[in-house]
Amino acid sequence: MSLDHEPNPRWDCKGCGKDWPCDPAREALLAEYRNQPGQLAMTMCKLMEDATTVLGQHPDDMFERFIAWTKPVPLDVQHPS
Ligand SMILES: [Zn+2]
């Protein structure tokens, strides 16, 4: 995990220059908050608010970028017998 994938003031990634959160940043956040998915969603909500204000974007356009990917995907569906 690289620590360089952090947002600059214009919400580009310092590490790779893509829109933040880039894929490595998302993976790092998902790993960091893997036991607290609600906390991650709240954190990203606040960041989205900041980014929306700075960039002058509509929140609907920022949802996929900041929030949609925080939803946990079950790796393995359990079938209790
Ligand atoms: Zn990056």
Side-chain angles (χ1 to χ4, degrees):
M1 181 195 316
S2 169
L3 296 176
D4 294 330
H5 292 279
E6 292 178 354
N8 69 23
R10 293 296 301 173
W11 293 94
D12 299 322
C13 179
K14 286 176 183 172
C16 62
K18 293 182 181 169
D19 287 348
W20 193 91
C22 58
D23 286 346
R26 293 179 191 194
E27 282 176 24
L29 285 161
L30 284 170
E32 186 178 343
Y33 288 95
R34 65 186 175 281
N35 295 322
Q36 306 158 286
Q39 192 67 41
L40 174 58
M42 281 184 61
T43 299
M44 293 314 295
C45 246
K46 286 179 193 149
L47 294 174
M48 184 178 80
E49 245 183 79
D50 292 350
T52 303
T53 304
V54 169
L55 300 176
Q57 300 263 17
H58 195 280
D60 287 352
D61 296 330
M62 304 294 268
F63 179 82
E64 289 284 329
R65 175 173 165 181
F66 278 86
I67 309 293
W69 57 273
T70 65
K71 189 168 177 244
V73 178
L75 296 175
D76 185 39
V77 179
Q78 302 288 329
H79 294 287
S81 49

